Amino acid sequence: MTNSERNLQAVHLPDDWSPESWRARPAMQLPVYPDADALAEVQAELRGLPPLVTSWEILALKQQLAEAQEGRRFLLQGGDCAESFRECSSAVISNRLKVLLQMSLVLVHGLRLPVVRVGRFAGQYAKPRSVDSETIDGVTLPVYRGDIVNAAEFTAQARTPDPRRMIKAHARSAMTMNFVRALIDGGFADLHHPEYWDLGWVGHSPLADEYQHMVAGIGDAVRFMETLSGSQVHNLNRVDFYTSHEALLLPYEEAQTRGVPRQWGWFNLGTHFPWIGMRTAAIDGAHVEYFRGIRNPIAIKVGPTATTDQLLRLIDVLNPHDEPGRLTLIHRMGAARIAARLPALLDAVKSEGRRVLWICDPMHGNTETTGNGYKTRRFCNIRSELEQAFELHAAAGTRLGGVHLELTGEDVTECLGGARELTEGDLSRAYRSAVDPRLNYEQALEVAMLIVRQQSRLAPAASI
Ligand code: PEP
Ligand code: CO
């Protein structure tokens, strides 16, 4: 180790932290496991299993996020609200990858910036809930907390938290990761062949012409570069894909936290980019304590009740040395509140000179329940929050460097509106989410297109 590496180590490694130091803090949203010995056994088994990602991938992503902080990249983070064990299938995984690739193609083309692609997958199995229990017909059972904890079915057996589910979640995550890596290595993401990503909608969607026009434009540009250079543009047949999930279930995350050879400190090797949810972001809570000590790039959800004081204290604790790429702030205010809540936060972080990547989650502040009992989100509110976000950042002199979305590659009917103007009556047709409503593939593409339009309206010089 060189002297400068040793110095970096001394500066960055919190000496009062360990992978289990969160246990001394108040922990929100954790299940109560009936059998502590079974939990400890599962943790020991998990510690011995191979990791899902590597430290060099994690550090490469951190570098890309540092570039996004400087305005040289745009972050696209998206996927299911919650993955389910049942839907760990070839079609669901490849369709999700296709829609993310299509969106990133639209963004690269329109923003003229490389896109950092991060899936909400390969580990997005734990969910925070607003209540601990649920009562039906006089029977009270623990609430469903995601497939990594218990099952959604309303029986005592299904709802009892079972630590063995962590082993299954780890295995499902590894299978997802394995398939994603194989698809990408095999050329699935090759820019020479965007037709691999067709999702069947291209022939009949109101957005089809605009998308096809872009694909043709990119094909022309690739061929032009190849003609000019006299060779194949090889680096276009590979893209990077990173994984993320809400690191909510701390016993699981603790068991994925490892030291690696020739690196100092600790990495969470269960995902590249864990985030702290809005409900578990208390400054003195267990989740913030856990996140403080890992070297991964991390994100934190910032909701409408966050104050400037709280946010600056969180930044101090989570990124005390202002390390590039370390901290992403995901604001999720809701279309009705973003204009009142966001500007003060932007100003405070800017005037303190703190280095963060701001991205917008236009989903979680816009959830509502319809008259016929469906949890949904209106496309017009998602759109409005995103448009306002770009405007508020432009006015504050800060930069919106990415988006965080709940989406699927399937033709579901969970969010209202969009190009096909889905109505409340349509929701029952293909509502499949066990938790939050997701954009379907067409609505997701539409979001990518509106980001490009909004960005070029606000900064016309940046896009051609
Ligand atoms: C989520 O991202 O699924 C979620 C629960 O978000 P938030 O913490 O912002 O409510
Ligand atoms: Co959600």
Side-chain angles (χ1 to χ4, degrees):
M1 199 188 295
T2 65
N3 268 347
S4 65
E5 278 167 346
R6 217 167 280 121
N7 285 342
L8 207 66
Q9 175 175 22
V11 172
H12 288 284
L13 194 60
D15 54 13
D16 56 347
W17 184 93
S18 75
E20 56 282 331
S21 58
W22 61 269
R23 292 173 180 269
R25 302 286 184 91
M28 308 289 286
Q29 298 284 344
L30 293 188
V32 179
Y33 288 102
D35 182 346
D37 292 342
L39 174 62
E41 261 169 47
V42 162
Q43 281 197 293
E45 184 172 338
L46 281 171
R47 275 191 208 99
L49 292 175
L52 300 173
V53 304
T54 62
S55 61
W56 59 90
E57 291 168 345
I58 290 172
L59 294 176
L61 172 62
K62 206 187 228 180
Q63 174 59 34
Q64 294 193 8
L65 293 171
E67 290 167 19
Q69 287 174 336
E70 291 168 6
R72 293 191 282 124
R73 288 180 184 269
F74 190 82
L75 171 62
L76 171 63
Q77 184 176 21
D80 277 320
C81 178
E83 291 175 282
S84 74
F85 290 169
R86 196 171 27 86
E87 291 205 338
C88 182
S89 70
S90 159
V92 167
I93 296 168
S94 56
N95 285 344
R96 191 169 45 212
L97 209 57
K98 285 177 186 179
V99 76
L100 287 168
L101 284 165
Q102 287 182 340
M103 291 176 80
S104 69
L105 184 108
V106 170
L107 293 170
V108 169
H109 181 262
L111 302 179
R112 299 288 192 262
L113 281 178
V115 169
V116 187
R117 299 165 194 83
V118 177
R120 274 178 72 114
F121 58 57
Q124 177 51 22
Y125 287 112
K127 296 309 297 172
R129 304 308 305 264
S130 46
V131 289
D132 285 338
S133 61
E134 194 178 345
T135 302
I136 299 180
D137 296 336
V139 180
T140 300
L141 294 175
V143 74
Y144 169 63
R145 291 186 179 276
D147 280 3
I148 195 170
V149 173
N150 55 5
E153 202 190 341
F154 194 75
T155 65
Q157 197 198 358
R159 289 292 176 90
T160 304
D162 175 2
R164 299 294 312 166
R165 288 181 157 266
M166 289 191 225
I167 306 282
K168 198 160 176 183
H170 182 268
R172 289 285 203 273
S173 301
M175 288 174 217
T176 303
M177 204 64 237
N178 180 56
F179 189 45
V180 168
R181 290 190 197 279
L183 282 173
I184 289 176
D185 283 347
F188 185 72
D190 189 342
L191 261 189
H192 296 86
H193 295 287
E195 73 276 9
Y196 293 171
W197 320 335
D198 273 2
L199 280 157
W201 61 272
V202 171
H204 55 256
S205 165
L207 305 172
D209 282 351
E210 197 172 340
Y211 179 72
Q212 293 296 21
H213 184 73
M214 253 175 248
V215 169
I218 288 173
D220 285 348
V222 170
R223 277 185 293 280
F224 174 73
M225 280 171 59
E226 287 179 344
T227 311
L228 201 68
S229 66
S231 66
Q232 280 252 315
V233 183
H234 285 297
N235 55 2
L236 291 182
N237 55 24
R238 281 222 44 175
V239 294
D240 295 325
F241 241 101
Y242 296 100
T243 62
S244 67
H245 66 250
E246 178 174 349
L248 181 68
L249 186 60
L250 292 176
Y252 178 81
E253 305 300 336
E254 179 193 303
Q256 304 293 349
T257 307
R258 325 250 169 113
V260 299
R262 287 177 295 283
Q263 288 285 355
W264 57 269
W266 297 90
F267 289 84
N268 182 323
L269 298 182
T271 187
H272 299 111
F273 189 22
W275 79 83
I276 310 180
M278 188 186 71
R279 291 162 193 79
T280 47
I283 186 90
D284 54 359
H287 291 80
V288 170
E289 171 60 18
Y290 170 74
F291 272 72
R292 166 173 93 85
I294 53 172
R295 287 190 62 197
N296 303 55
I298 62 171
I300 183 158
K301 294 281 199 100
V302 182
T305 59
T307 65
T308 55
D309 187 49
Q310 282 167 350
L311 187 60
L312 292 174
R313 283 170 63 208
L314 278 170
I315 295 174
D316 271 342
V317 169
L318 293 170
N319 193 16
H321 305 290
D322 209 35
E323 187 194 352
R326 161 73 172 167
L327 189 58
T328 295
L329 300 178
I330 309 172
H331 53 74
R332 35 85 86 221
M333 304 286 168
R337 295 207 265 180
I338 185 169
R341 304 303 310 169
L342 186 64
L345 302 178
L346 299 182
D347 286 344
V349 176
K350 187 179 174 204
S351 61
E352 291 294 311
R354 300 311 299 250
R355 200 188 320 241
V356 300
L357 175 64
W358 285 107
I359 72 171
C360 175
D361 165 358
M363 315 294 295
H364 287 89
N366 294 309
T367 316
E368 58 187 278
T369 304
T370 61
N372 50 359
Y374 284 99
K375 203 173 174 190
T376 191
R377 293 162 174 154
R378 291 173 199 277
F379 193 86
C380 57
N381 290 335
I382 293 168
R383 175 187 189 130
S384 163
E385 179 159 2
L386 259 181
E387 287 177 349
Q388 291 182 67
F390 277 104
E391 281 161 13
L392 295 167
H393 277 276
T398 50
R399 182 170 183 281
L400 185 63
V403 282
H404 180 114
L405 301 165
E406 284 184 346
L407 54 82
T408 166
E410 307 300 299
D411 186 12
V412 299
T413 54
E414 298 174 3
C415 291
L416 298 170
R420 233 173 255 278
E421 295 173 2
L422 293 183
T423 63
E424 290 193 18
D426 291 315
L427 293 181
S428 59
R429 188 154 47 82
Y431 195 103
R432 301 227 289 270
S433 174
V435 202
D436 285 344
R438 303 158 296 178
L439 298 169
N440 63 26
Y441 54 64
E442 208 167 87
Q443 292 166 328
L445 246 286
E446 198 172 349
V447 165
M449 289 176 184
L450 82 86
I451 289 169
V452 168
R453 269 184 233 126
Q454 182 69 347
Q455 179 75 343
S456 49
R457 197 173 68 74
L458 291 170
S463 56
I464 304 159

